[in-house]
Amino acid sequence: HGPTYSPSSVCYPGSALSSADLESIRAMCAVLKQALVDDYQVFWGLVMLTNQLNRIAVSQSGTILQRYSVSHRVMAFSKRLAVVDPDLSRLLEQKLGILPSAYADKWFRSLFALAFGEKRIDAVVRLWDALIASPFELVVHVAVHFVLKMKEPIQAIVACNHEPAEVLTTQVVNVLETLPNIDKVILDEILYTIWQGTDTLFRGSTELRDLDHLQQARQAHEQVTITNITEQRGVLVLAGPRAREILAP
């Protein structure tokens, strides 16, 4: 028999559950109950997902390299959106007064379960598979691509709507919260773009950790120079059942 549990039986590391946390966990539970066989799998699936929400990468020397809490992800998302599409960032934040926390907080807190809901369970599960198997910062890059996909609907609302500013803002936030145009096909296209390296912001995901590891492993008597050449070199990866055969001399 699997364990009995409630949404409050799985806690975020190092923090108490808020009402927003409970709402997010209930949404994740609803998706997992449809995707998995029994309560035992649902429980451990929920444990794995909640463990993704608040992480800190620490080097061997004890230096905090990166924080991955919800608030840090919202901040990273805001900065990256401003770099990738400054016009869209200004439209949302300056013209409409919509800060990323108004919609992205729910994204990261529920790992998009609240956005997609049970009607797009295939997209949610596909995204979770990718997040569990990838560096923690992948979710931020996916979020930026989601907003870029919503750019035209948002611009259409702004251009054709003569409602008061409060109504206009509510309509745009609703689009951002629910991501109506995103399905599994579009999600796969986004993940392909990121993993193929055409998204230049998603490079060297372990760069800092690897660099710190090498520097800490270097002995004082060794005449070794360590240089970060991440921006100077590229890597071509061939993966698949025939990869070994194709690459064989």
Coordinates of all heavy atoms in Angstrom, one line a residue, residues 12 21-22 48 85 90 140 177:
Y12 N 8.3 22.4 1.2 CA 9.5 23.0 0.5 C 10.7 23.0 1.5 O 10.5 23.3 2.7 CB 9.2 24.4 0.1 CG 8.1 24.5 -0.9 CD1 7.0 25.3 -0.7 CD2 8.2 23.8 -2.1 CE1 6.0 25.4 -1.7 CE2 7.2 23.9 -3.1 CZ 6.1 24.7 -2.8 OH 5.1 24.8 -3.8
D21 N 1.7 28.2 -1.7 CA 2.3 26.9 -1.8 C 1.3 25.8 -1.9 O 1.4 24.8 -2.7 CB 3.3 26.7 -0.6 CG 4.4 27.6 -0.6 OD1 4.9 28.1 -1.7 OD2 4.9 27.9 0.5
L22 N 0.3 25.8 -1.0 CA -0.7 24.8 -1.0 C -1.5 24.7 -2.3 O -1.8 23.7 -2.8 CB -1.7 25.0 0.2 CG -1.1 24.7 1.6 CD1 -2.1 25.1 2.7 CD2 -0.9 23.2 1.7
M48 N 9.8 14.7 -5.6 CA 10.9 15.1 -6.6 C 10.6 16.5 -7.2 O 11.5 17.3 -7.4 CB 10.9 14.1 -7.8 CG 11.4 12.7 -7.4 SD 11.5 11.6 -8.8 CE 12.8 12.4 -9.7
D85 N 14.0 40.4 -25.1 CA 13.0 41.2 -25.8 C 12.7 42.5 -25.0 O 11.7 42.5 -24.2 CB 11.7 40.4 -26.1 CG 10.8 41.1 -27.1 OD1 10.8 42.4 -27.1 OD2 10.1 40.4 -27.8
R90 N 9.4 46.1 -21.6 CA 8.9 47.5 -21.2 C 7.4 47.6 -21.3 O 6.8 48.3 -20.5 CB 9.6 48.5 -22.2 CG 11.0 48.8 -21.8 CD 11.6 50.0 -22.6 NE 11.6 49.7 -24.0 CZ 12.7 49.3 -24.6 NH1 13.8 49.0 -23.9 NH2 12.7 49.1 -25.9
V140 N 13.6 28.6 -16.2 CA 13.6 30.1 -16.4 C 13.7 30.3 -17.9 O 13.0 31.2 -18.5 CB 14.8 30.8 -15.7 CG1 14.9 32.2 -16.1 CG2 14.7 30.6 -14.2
E177 N -1.0 34.1 -17.2 CA -1.2 33.1 -16.2 C -1.6 31.7 -16.8 O -1.2 30.7 -16.3 CB -2.2 33.5 -15.1 CG -1.7 34.5 -14.1 CD -2.8 34.8 -13.1 OE1 -3.9 34.5 -13.3 OE2 -2.4 35.4 -12.0

